[in-house]
Amino acid sequence: MAMQAKTYLGASILLLAALPALAEHPGDGGRDPRRHGRPTIVIEPNIDLSRRDKPDTDAPDVIMAEVSQCSATGIRLFVDCLRGNFRPVMIRRLEACVASETIPDDLTRVAACLPRPRLR
C-alpha cells in the first residue's frame, strides 16, 4: 500500500513538472496573464469536416425512385424490390399501408404511404 502511494506521488510530481513544457507556445512562454502566470493548455478537437452527409434512404423521392424502377423492370414484391437498400421496418410499413405485399400498378398508392421528408 505504501509502495503504491509513493508511485502515485512520483507520477503526480512528474506530471506537474511536465505541464509547463506541454503548454509552451512560441512567443508567450506558455503563460497566460489572465491566469496569473499558470500555464495555458489548449486542446483542439480533431473534426473532419470533409465527410459528406449520409443520404437519407427513407426520403420519399429515394423510395419512389426505387419502387418505380422495380415496377418498370417487372419486380412485383416490395421485399424483392427494397430488400438490399432499405430497412425491413420500411418495407413492412409500405406493405401494411398498401394492404398488399405486391407493388400496385397505381404508384400513387405507394406515394401516399411514404413518410414526409425530413426538415434540414
Side-chain angles (χ1 to χ4, degrees):
M1 183 75 166
M3 186 62 153
Q4 279 184 328
K6 286 182 183 179
T7 304
Y8 289 132
L9 181 61
S12 299
I13 290 171
L14 286 176
L15 180 61
L16 288 174
L19 277 177
L22 292 173
E24 285 185 19
H25 294 317
D28 66 357
R31 305 287 179 198
D32 185 353
R34 294 172 295 181
R35 298 195 67 214
H36 306 291
R38 290 181 289 180
T40 302
I41 299 174
V42 178
I43 300 173
E44 296 179 7
N46 184 12
I47 300 172
D48 182 13
L49 298 176
S50 64
R51 286 189 311 204
R52 294 183 181 165
D53 290 337
K54 290 182 181 179
D56 183 14
T57 57
D58 288 340
D61 55 338
V62 175
I63 297 171
M64 275 309 295
E66 191 80 19
V67 170
S68 61
Q69 182 180 2
C70 289
S71 179
T73 58
I75 298 173
R76 300 303 305 157
L77 295 176
F78 279 110
V79 173
D80 293 339
C81 177
L82 303 175
R83 181 183 308 142
N85 300 325
F86 298 92
R87 296 178 296 158
V89 172
M90 178 57 69
I91 296 169
R92 298 298 171 231
R93 283 182 187 163
L94 286 174
E95 289 175 345
C97 182
V98 176
S100 174
E101 292 181 352
T102 61
I103 299 171
D105 293 329
D106 182 17
L107 293 181
T108 57
R109 289 179 52 202
V110 177
C113 295
L114 296 176
R116 293 182 179 161
R118 293 182 186 175
L119 297 176
R120 291 189 176 238

